[in-house]
Every structure is written in structure tokens, then in C-alpha cells.
Amino acid sequence: MTIIPAIDILDGKCVRLTKGDYSSQKIYCDTPLDMALLFQSKGFRRIHLVDLNGAGGDHIINRSVLHDICSKTGLTVDFGGGIKSDADIESAFDAGASMVTVGSIAVSSPDKVAEWAERYGADRIILGADARNGKISINGWKEDSQLDLFGFIRKYKSIGIKQVICTDINLDGTLQGPATGLYRKILAEFPDIRLTASGGVSSTADLTELKEAGLDSAIVGKAYYEGRITLDVMAAINDDKTDG
């Protein structure tokens, strides 16, 4: 299983939220590049980078941070937050993102996402299936749609998108453990997707549990920033690493 460290950006700084609540922000680092370089030094090859300002707005806001990390590290960056137009996705790829995560736009404009999958390749598009009580949430998790999580995944699997990041919003940032039961159900329904767990990870045991459940990868954020899991332990579990 690949362990993917997370960097969430708000106003240019590395922060974490609880359950997507912007008022709950806690700043962990003023310079996200420094955090990315630290992850790279520990042998990680990929990070999950989220523009929280963009996620809650109409377009990418923290592009300069994305460009800085992509140009000054050798990390594979999957980027999400604010990708809501052709200009946004072009900007993200031009800044160096290897993959982009689409969430709100996948709800509001499925034809546009299908077009992007054809233009850029379905392997570069990650479906952000972030759900609260079984329904997909949008616009920085400020709104809940009426779309069912499983139907949402099924729709995009039918056009060739196989990478899915699924967050149970009720667990995100809580350090109460991941939604392993939900992930098992998703994998039982869609055994050939590459499912990434996001939210709730609080311990090494949680990561072991996710690996045994068949997850392709797991995003770790607050557990590291709060000292619950060390980078060395995360690196030891990680199956996708450099010699760094």
C-alpha cells in the first residue's frame, strides 16, 4: 500500500481542518515547500496537495505553492481544490501536477470531466468521492449534493476513471480511525478501482487495517502533524518509496 502524505494549503500555509470546517484550521507550517522537502527526504515519492482556498471558491488560488513544490522537488503531486474550468486544469498541469483530483466539477459538469479524461488521459484524473452520510459533498464540503456515493463512482468508472480518493467527511481530521467498513463495501462493488483512503487515520494499526482491506493507498495528514505517527513509521509501511 502506498502511503501518501497530505499538505492542505490555506492562505499559502500548511494547515489541517476537522471535518472540513474552515473555522477549525490549525497551522502546522508557514512554508508548504519545506514540508514537501521533508517528505521527500524520508523517501516518499508522492504527496496529496489540496488548495483549500480554491476548494471553497471558484478557481485555483494557491497555484504558486503547487508550482514551487513541483519545480523544487522530485515528488509526484496529485492536486485538488478549485479545479472548476478548462483554465484551472490547464493551470494545474502547467504548474507541474502529475494528476488532478476532481470533486465539485464532477458533480456539476460530468460531461466536462469526461472531456478532460479523454484529453489528458483517464489515468491523470482522480475522482474525489468525498461523502457525508452517503451523499457526495461539494464546494469545499460546504454543501451536500443528492448524489449517492456508489452511483457517483459507478458513473465515472464507466468512462475509464479508476483512481478514486474517498473521504468520509464525518471522520476527516478527527483521528478516530478510517472508514474501513465503507472502503470494504466500495472494493466489493468495484474490485478493479484503485481506491485511496482519506480521513480518520490515527495510528499504525489503522494503516495496517487499510492495507489488509485491500486499499491501494492511504492519505495521512493530521496523524503525522499531531505526532500520532512518525514519518519513519509511515515510510516503513510505504510500498512506494525511493532510497532517500
Side-chain angles (χ1 to χ4, degrees):
M1 184 173 72
T2 300
I3 306 299
I4 308 172
I7 297 178
D8 289 358
I9 314 159
L10 190 64
D11 300 331
K13 299 178 180 181
C14 177
V15 309
R16 297 300 292 176
L17 308 180
T18 300
K19 297 184 181 181
D21 181 0
Y22 282 62
S23 67
S24 71
Q25 66 170 288
K26 183 175 181 179
I27 299 171
Y28 290 96
C29 180
D30 288 339
T31 311
L33 173 61
D34 290 342
M35 192 61 63
L37 287 167
L38 175 61
F39 292 142
Q40 179 173 262
S41 74
K42 292 294 184 178
F44 293 95
R45 297 175 61 184
R46 175 178 168 183
I47 61 169
H48 178 64
L49 187 65
V50 179
D51 180 350
L52 291 173
N53 295 104
D58 297 325
H59 56 85
I60 294 172
I61 301 295
N62 290 286
R63 183 186 186 277
S64 61
V65 178
L66 169 64
H67 180 267
D68 218 23
I69 290 173
C70 291
S71 63
K72 296 177 182 177
T73 75
L75 293 164
T76 294
V77 178
D78 74 67
F79 176 79
I83 298 176
K84 297 176 180 177
S85 68
D86 287 328
D88 288 321
I89 194 169
E90 288 170 9
S91 178
F93 283 138
D94 286 347
S98 297
M99 295 165 280
V100 298
T101 301
V102 296
S104 298
I105 188 72
V107 172
S108 63
S109 303
D111 290 344
K112 175 60 67 178
V113 174
E115 177 188 320
W116 289 346
E118 184 174 349
R119 183 189 312 171
Y120 297 105
D123 59 328
R124 301 189 73 190
I125 307 294
I126 303 171
L127 182 65
D130 302 333
R132 184 166 26 226
N133 303 321
K135 300 296 184 181
I136 297 297
S137 291
I138 57 175
N139 297 328
W141 300 349
K142 296 175 182 177
E143 303 172 43
D144 293 338
S145 74
Q146 295 303 307
L147 291 179
D148 171 74
L149 171 62
F150 284 78
F152 188 61
I153 294 173
R154 185 176 296 108
K155 179 181 182 66
Y156 282 97
K157 181 177 177 296
S158 71
I159 65 169
I161 293 177
K162 291 188 176 181
Q163 294 192 76
V164 178
I165 294 176
C166 182
T167 306
D168 184 330
I169 296 168
N170 289 326
L171 293 174
D172 188 70
T174 66
L175 298 173
Q176 294 178 355
T180 309
L182 173 62
Y183 299 140
R184 288 184 189 277
K185 291 176 182 178
I186 292 172
L187 288 172
E189 182 76 17
F190 311 106
D192 57 342
I193 67 168
R194 295 171 57 191
L195 183 61
T196 299
S198 176
V201 170
S202 64
S203 66
T204 306
D206 288 338
L207 294 176
T208 300
E209 179 181 282
L210 290 170
K211 185 173 183 177
E212 291 175 349
L215 274 291
D216 183 77
S217 49
I219 292 170
V220 181
K222 198 168 190 177
Y224 160 67
Y225 293 110
E226 289 289 323
R228 298 289 191 93
I229 308 176
T230 68
L231 282 184
D232 288 335
V233 168
M234 287 165 56
I237 296 171
N238 184 29
D239 288 336
D240 178 33
K241 61 188 74 173
T242 67
D243 295 327

